[in-house]
Amino acid sequence: MCWGDTAAASGYPKERRAQKKAVVFFFQHAIEIYSLHVDCKVTSRFAHTVITSKIVNRANESREATFEVELPKTAFITNFSMSIDGKVYPGIIKEKVSAQKEYDTAVSRGQSAGLVKITDRKLEQFHVSVSVAAASKVTFELMYEELLKRQLGKFELLLKVRPKQLVKHFQIDVHIFEPQGIRFLATDSTFMTNELTEALTKVQTETKAHISFKPTVDQQKINPELDETLLNGDFVVRYDVKRGATAGVIQIVNGYFVHYFAPHEMPVFPKNVIFVIDRSGSMAGRKIEQTRDALLKILQDLRPEDHFSFITFNSKVAEWKSSLLPATAEHVASATGFVQTLSAGGGTDINRALLTAVSVLDKAERLPERSVSMIILLTDGQPTSGESNVEVIQENVQKAVSGKCALFCLGFGFDVSYNFLEKMALSNGGIARRIYENADAALQLQGFYQEVATPILMKIEMQYPENAVERLTKNNFELFFEGSEIVSGTAFLMVSFLPLQHVGGLTLKEEANVREKEQVFQNQSYIFGNFIERLWAYLTIQQLLEKSVSAQEEEQKALEARALELSLQYSFVTPLTSMVVTKPTGQQQMELANKPTEAGKWGHRITLLKRAVPGGSGIGSSYSNVPRQGATPEAGGQGLASFQNKPHGPFLKGEAGPTTEMENNLFKY
């Protein structure tokens, strides 16, 4: 959340404008933020955030005010408006093609375009500017929604705080309602001081929590003598919910339901993992150093029952060992020495590297019968050696894998074809992720491995009676990792885990009464509208877009058409829609906000064009770093459905790790 008047309108000489960012807080802001309120309501993991900023132009001439909000990539913007001297200028969500035509027409008349763009691996930025007359007031309001994804045993709500000036009325309110019960709750901040801690309050009951951060102007100051703000960084809320050894928790509102399933205290499958590492010339320097650092730490995290190996490649493919080895101390020590020798040079033969990895898995002997096989590919470039046609590579790899293992693709930097990696991963039971080139790239690699290091279920299928549900979202999952969560839906649940071999089956039962469940959410101040219905739409759109990545052309069009229909119906800015923001007459401007995507399939950010308005204040840049482009929401494995108001008997089946005795009588052997 950041605002600023522009350098060109500030009265500074041209040669001093570049210095203004460093000294801006020593001067009175012409554009003053006198109120900033962030209100976030989290109901059963689904977060609805409203950011309201009120500004006034203290100058005696028009100035440009820039409204910037950094929001999570996984969020969908749902509404934006500007109120200028009492008149409201709303954002209108339209189909992207028609919005683009409207934008192109505006550009041809010399008007400007706004945008949403990437700031880092977790965030993207909403940005809009407007000319404000002397003494006039403007209220900006932005709304967005997101499902908090459980990773490594916790949910995380991230709010980026960057007002860039002292704010008289500054407040953050986070309300959490979790009917399961809140197991733990913590807040963290990159800018917190002892003085600011006094402005933070936290009230928690069994199922609810309210976190309030309301610093005074004096508490916001870095130094009592200077009007410079401390508020510049992350404000994070982390929590988890209480869980039992049951089939999960079912919640129902207005004919829509959600079922949260996150088993715990279950045995972990041994892993058979092959790391396929790009050591081509483009990986030289910092990238290969960070890769070595990450692999050295990952080796220490391997479990003794795991099996592993390395394949490195440039224009040639090299196997560390001819077969997978158990992760004994001796083998890990040997691998550590190998990793420390990794160097970069040559071309990029992705095709042969992956086919070699599959071959090694196929030939492996004495692997645990009940284990999970996976290949983790790390590359920073395009295929330049051997087979270079990405479609042929995708076909070759899918044919070789044939459902025998999961393929995870990590794209290092922005020279990779992310769409190629994503399609290949999704077609082979895995996911793709971009690794951003910055100081913590090694931590990103480690973090990804930690997410997939503990598989506890595989080949899970949710089954529901056909006459009981409709518009069912994703209901089958290749793998489930400890610390994550599956979201699906029905009103009566029987869960059955079928092991790989002739070991006793595991059955979980959960019974729900529709009327009783709906009562939980009656008269709750934390609820925003039909939140479960909106959650259903949110998940459906994400899953349709994910599925379209690896679909054939005809099916792809149908999937995107359905996703577009839902995006418009529920007012979400998605990769298929845009928000058009109009401005007051005379400014000759309009803004167009698009959802960036990692693969760029629906287009990257639109370049911001600026043109001086006759009689206006001039043009300049606000006080913000220019972020990099390319972002997409992470599509998780969640499912949700609507249902008829009657009891039904769904079924979930899958395969679990080695069974251990459980005290809970819901487990049957």
Side-chain angles (χ1 to χ4, degrees), residues 431-443:
I431 61 172
R433 185 168 298 177
R434 191 186 298 280
I435 301 300
Y436 286 76
E437 297 179 57
N438 52 36
D440 72 343
L443 293 176

Side-chain angles (χ1 to χ4, degrees), residues 147-433:
L147 175 66
L148 303 182
K149 186 178 179 181
R150 189 169 186 254
Q151 291 183 317
L152 302 178
K154 60 181 178 295
F155 301 99
E156 180 177 287
L157 175 71
L158 171 62
L159 298 172
K160 198 73 172 182
V161 179
R162 192 179 294 170
K164 300 187 178 180
Q165 61 176 268
L166 302 175
V167 181
K168 184 176 181 181
H169 302 290
F170 181 96
Q171 186 166 352
I172 295 175
D173 284 298
V174 178
H175 297 268
I176 300 173
F177 175 45
E178 290 288 353
Q180 283 179 251
I182 299 172
R183 184 175 68 83
F184 83 88
L185 176 69
T187 59
D188 191 15
S189 171
T190 58
F191 53 79
M192 198 63 68
T193 63
N194 291 335
E195 289 76 13
L196 286 175
T197 300
E198 297 175 0
L200 180 67
T201 60
K202 181 171 66 174
V203 178
Q204 181 180 345
T205 64
E206 179 73 14
T207 60
K208 296 180 182 180
H210 177 207
I211 297 165
S212 177
F213 180 56
K214 192 176 180 180
T216 65
V217 170
D218 286 340
Q219 288 172 325
Q220 295 172 41
K221 291 181 179 181
I222 289 179
N223 186 311
E225 306 299 323
L226 303 175
D227 290 339
E228 187 172 354
T229 182
L230 280 164
L231 307 184
N232 183 6
D234 299 341
F235 186 86
V236 183
V237 177
R238 297 183 180 92
Y239 74 95
D240 196 18
V241 298
K242 296 179 179 178
R243 303 176 192 277
T246 70
V249 172
I250 295 169
Q251 297 171 2
I252 302 168
V253 175
N254 297 332
Y256 286 79
F257 66 89
V258 61
H259 166 229
Y260 299 99
F261 180 57
H264 70 296
E265 297 180 354
M266 297 191 71
V268 177
F269 278 116
K271 297 187 303 300
N272 313 310
V273 56
I274 298 182
F275 300 95
V276 181
I277 307 300
D278 184 346
R279 54 183 177 89
S280 61
S282 57
M283 286 285 290
R286 185 64 176 145
K287 288 182 185 177
I288 199 70
E289 290 176 10
Q290 291 173 320
T291 300
R292 286 197 299 261
D293 291 344
L295 290 175
L296 291 173
K297 291 182 173 62
I298 288 171
L299 282 170
Q300 302 307 312
D301 291 335
L302 289 171
R303 297 167 180 263
E305 61 271 21
D306 292 338
H307 286 67
F308 74 104
S309 190
F310 291 97
I311 289 175
T312 61
F313 69 97
N314 46 28
S315 51
K316 297 180 180 180
V317 176
E319 300 178 37
W320 172 54
K321 301 292 182 181
S322 58
S323 63
L324 279 80
L325 298 179
T328 63
E330 179 184 357
H331 292 150
V332 168
S334 175
T336 297
F338 168 74
V339 167
Q340 290 172 334
T341 66
L342 287 179
S343 59
T348 310
D349 192 346
I350 294 175
N351 181 69
R352 194 152 61 93
L354 288 175
L355 294 182
T356 301
V358 177
S359 177
V360 170
L361 281 172
D362 286 342
K363 294 184 297 182
E365 298 178 351
R366 295 189 295 276
L367 298 179
E369 291 185 4
R370 306 176 65 206
S371 58
V372 172
S373 295
M374 60 179 69
I375 296 171
I376 299 179
L377 167 69
L378 172 65
T379 180
D380 77 330
Q382 308 278 357
T384 59
S385 297
E387 180 59 64
S388 60
N389 186 311
V390 295
E391 292 183 357
V392 173
I393 296 173
Q394 289 166 345
E395 184 178 342
N396 290 344
V397 171
Q398 188 170 0
K399 183 178 179 180
V401 170
S402 191
K404 293 174 292 188
C405 65
L407 172 62
F408 299 95
C409 297
L410 305 179
F412 207 142
F414 288 85
D415 294 327
V416 297
S417 172
Y418 189 84
N419 193 46
F420 159 59
L421 296 181
E422 183 179 38
K423 183 174 182 179
M424 193 159 55
L426 293 175
S427 298
N428 294 285
I431 61 172
R433 185 168 298 177

